Amino acid sequence: MNIVVLRETQAGEARIALMPESIKKLIALKATVLIESGAGLGAARSDDDFREAGAEISTDRNALLESADVLAAVNRPKEEDFNRLKKGAVVIGFLRPLDEPKTLQPALTRGLTTFAVELIPRITRAQSMDALSSMATVAGYKAVIIGAEKIPRMFPLLMTAAGTVPPARVLVLGAGVAGLQAIATARRLGAVVEGYDVRAAAGEQVKSLGATFLEVDLGGIKTEDAGGYAVELSDEAMNRGRALIAEHARQADIIITTAQVPGRRAPLLITEQAVEGMKRGSMVIDLAGATGGNCALTKADETVERNGVTIIAPTNLAATVPVHASQLYSRNVTAFLTPIIKDGQLQIDMNDDVVGPSCVTHDGQVVNKRVASLLT
Ligand code: NAD
């Protein structure tokens, strides 16, 4: 069985789906691993590193695609790549099945078995496969580092002979995986941090990191689903949150926003007026830019200036820390593949409570009900 890894072609992408340490594990399961030459360079791994791990290297991308039983990818392959895969081949990667379902049509037509890492259920058994959490961890960390570099102030409280330097104030909106990592990183650098989330459970986690949790009275409404994800809120509830955020935004040096509702546009948390109330030299780092942004002025992957406030929305921060992002992702993909490889062959059990829900297309059908409903 051939597991193939290609060079990622998306602009700005430096990650690779499988790193050498994972390849050794897959080869121990009697799989053959083939890598496109140069695919690891962005993640500081040479062709020789992959050869040493037991992989074969090829410069012929099309031949690799045609020989693949499994294509392990970071980003969704392009249509022409899907079209070169053989019927029944498996593709695993960030396929964006909920926000861009139509782009999976070629995989459907081609009879491919596609697994979207975004759909891997967040159950205990699948924690080691949770690529969303891995990438969110990297993004939350990097957002703070970018903010620390860009604002015209220092983070920690300093008592010097020339007087006291007050600590930076960081406000983090959305205290999921990325938000909590941003809070922890900003605290380590010495900032005073506030966190906000609609899920009450997030409050304890925010406080345990030494930050203050901003509470808004939502009148006891349901804010999360059975899977622990936030649900879309009413306009009234959203407006209460926005008013609280606008008030705290006035003192913030950096606001990092990470709020998402799976399969929906990102909730709008920072209004234009809230930005206008912010200090000169402060900034908003919006990590929800790919799904519309949490700030009214956000433009994905662009820098916007308003009255001395800078708003940025990098959509692929994980790719800017390619070594660790690839290492984590590679372990996630390997943890997913390992139980479905038996004696060097794929044995896919769609009744498995991790494999079934992660599958988008199989045998010419859209098997995921949520994705199917988006396509009709
Ligand atoms: P996410 O990326 O979907 O959203 C980020 C955060 O935004 C969430 O905390 C969400 O509550 C918040 N949010 C949504 N709408 C908001 C609004 N209007 N205002 C403020 N905040 C809003 O979330 P995630 O980081 O993927 O985590 C989602 C949940 O899954 C969390 O409960 C997390 O602890 C849980 N989780 C569980 C596992 C596991 O058990 N294996 C792993 C990772 C995450």
Side-chain angles (χ1 to χ4, degrees):
M1 184 197 51
N2 291 337
I3 301 176
V4 166
V5 177
L6 300 177
R7 198 171 40 78
E8 296 288 324
T9 53
Q10 188 176 297
E13 186 54 76
R15 293 169 293 175
I16 180 167
L18 291 175
M19 290 285 262
E21 60 167 44
S22 303
I23 288 170
K24 283 186 194 158
K25 291 187 179 149
L26 293 166
I27 289 173
L29 299 172
K30 300 190 185 151
T32 302
V33 180
L34 301 110
I35 311 279
E36 184 180 359
S37 178
L41 290 176
R45 297 295 180 274
S46 67
D47 287 354
D48 281 344
D49 293 329
F50 289 101
R51 274 194 202 95
E52 272 165 34
E56 292 170 28
I57 306 292
S58 166
T59 52
D60 190 342
R61 187 178 174 94
N62 291 343
L64 284 171
L65 279 163
E66 283 153 19
S67 74
D69 297 299
V70 176
L71 176 65
V74 178
N75 300 297
R76 186 185 56 234
K78 289 189 174 146
E79 185 170 354
E80 62 257 37
D81 289 346
F82 274 137
N83 288 339
R84 286 197 184 270
L85 289 165
K86 58 190 175 204
K87 184 177 181 329
V90 166
V91 180
I92 179 166
F94 280 98
L95 304 182
R96 307 193 63 175
L98 297 177
D99 35 341
E100 296 176 349
K102 289 200 172 68
T103 54
L104 291 167
Q105 188 62 43
L108 192 62
T109 317
R110 199 85 190 145
L112 306 178
T113 300
T114 51
F115 293 108
V117 293
E118 297 96 324
L119 298 179
I120 294 173
R122 280 168 148 181
I123 57 174
T124 309
R125 182 164 77 83
Q127 267 180 355
S128 58
M129 311 171 194
D130 187 350
L132 279 179
S133 288
S134 297
M135 298 306 110
T137 300
V138 177
Y141 160 83
K142 189 64 187 274
V144 176
I145 302 303
I146 289 176
E149 206 264 330
K150 287 208 191 308
I151 59 165
R153 323 168 57 94
M154 293 191 281
F155 260 47
L157 167 79
L158 296 178
M159 311 269 229
T160 79
T164 301
V165 175
R169 298 187 71 94
V170 176
L171 171 59
V172 177
L173 307 179
V177 181
L180 290 173
Q181 187 56 236
I183 291 172
T185 306
R187 288 284 302 138
R188 277 182 211 121
L189 287 178
V192 169
V193 185
E194 294 178 316
Y196 170 74
D197 200 294
V198 286
R199 292 179 301 109
E204 283 313 307
Q205 292 163 333
V206 167
K207 287 184 217 159
S208 74
L209 293 169
T212 308
F213 187 58
L214 302 184
E215 301 209 35
V216 61
D217 180 8
L218 296 175
I221 57 164
K222 180 174 167 282
T223 56
E224 66 184 276
D225 64 15
Y229 283 108
V231 294
E232 211 168 23
L233 302 183
S234 67
D235 282 347
E236 197 212 325
M238 285 298 295
N239 282 336
R240 287 194 200 182
R242 286 180 197 127
L244 181 75
I245 290 163
E247 191 187 315
H248 287 260
R250 291 179 170 278
Q251 283 87 45
D253 295 301
I254 299 175
I255 307 183
I256 295 174
T257 77
T258 73
Q260 302 268 8
V261 177
R264 301 256 185 279
R265 188 207 180 282
L268 183 64
L269 300 178
I270 308 175
T271 60
E272 208 170 328
Q273 290 90 322
V275 174
E276 280 162 4
M278 290 176 70
K279 297 188 291 191
R280 291 193 80 79
S282 62
M283 73 185 299
V284 176
I285 304 174
D286 190 342
L287 297 192
T291 50
N294 294 141
C295 174
L297 298 180
T298 289
K299 287 200 175 133
D301 291 313
E302 288 184 28
T303 300
V304 176
E305 299 277 343
R306 174 67 66 92
N307 300 339
V309 179
T310 308
I311 300 113
I312 62 167
T315 55
N316 194 3
L317 272 188
T320 67
V321 193
V323 170
H324 283 145
S326 301
Q327 240 162 34
L328 296 172
Y329 183 67
S330 166
R331 288 179 200 155
N332 295 143
V333 169
T334 305
F336 183 87
L337 291 176
T338 300
I340 60 174
I341 300 174
K342 302 262 157 47
D343 215 14
Q345 297 303 317
L346 277 176
Q347 277 190 21
I348 298 173
D349 174 9
M350 288 297 177
N351 294 320
D352 180 275
D353 58 1
V354 174
V355 175
S358 315
C359 187
V360 189
T361 64
H362 178 60
D363 218 3
Q365 307 281 332
V366 180
V367 292
N368 184 284
K369 288 200 184 99
R370 211 158 152 211
V371 181
S373 72
L374 293 171
L375 280 171
T376 50

